[in-house]
Amino acid sequence: MPNAIRLQNERVVHLSLERMVWPSGPVCPHCGEAARLGRLNGLSTPIGAWKCYSCRKPFTIRNGTIFHNSHVP
Ligand SMILES: [Zn+2]
């Protein structure tokens, strides 16, 4: 199943990206919350989507980072 392998690779790449951008864990780009966060794992959820339980907004690693306006696929 090539699709499953590609998805697996995407997740691996994403996890290493998270470690680069958030060396001490994820931080909400909207309000700065670092503790009350949850990873979204729904089937229709993009990889690396997080939900902030402080401001109740979803975010991904590309929100408010140097990747935000780039064309990283
Ligand atoms: Zn927040």
Side-chain angles (χ1 to χ4, degrees), residues 10-20 39:
E10 264 181 48
R11 285 182 195 279
V12 169
V13 167
H14 190 88
L15 287 176
S16 47
L17 198 63
E18 281 189 356
R19 276 196 291 270
M20 254 171 55
R39 190 187 286 276

Side-chain angles (χ1 to χ4, degrees), residues 27-34 36-37 51-59:
V27 176
C28 173
H30 305 293
C31 69
E33 176 67 47
R36 292 191 297 154
L37 306 171
K51 165 110 187 203
C52 174
Y53 294 107
S54 188
C55 67
R56 299 179 182 277
K57 286 179 189 160
F59 64 95

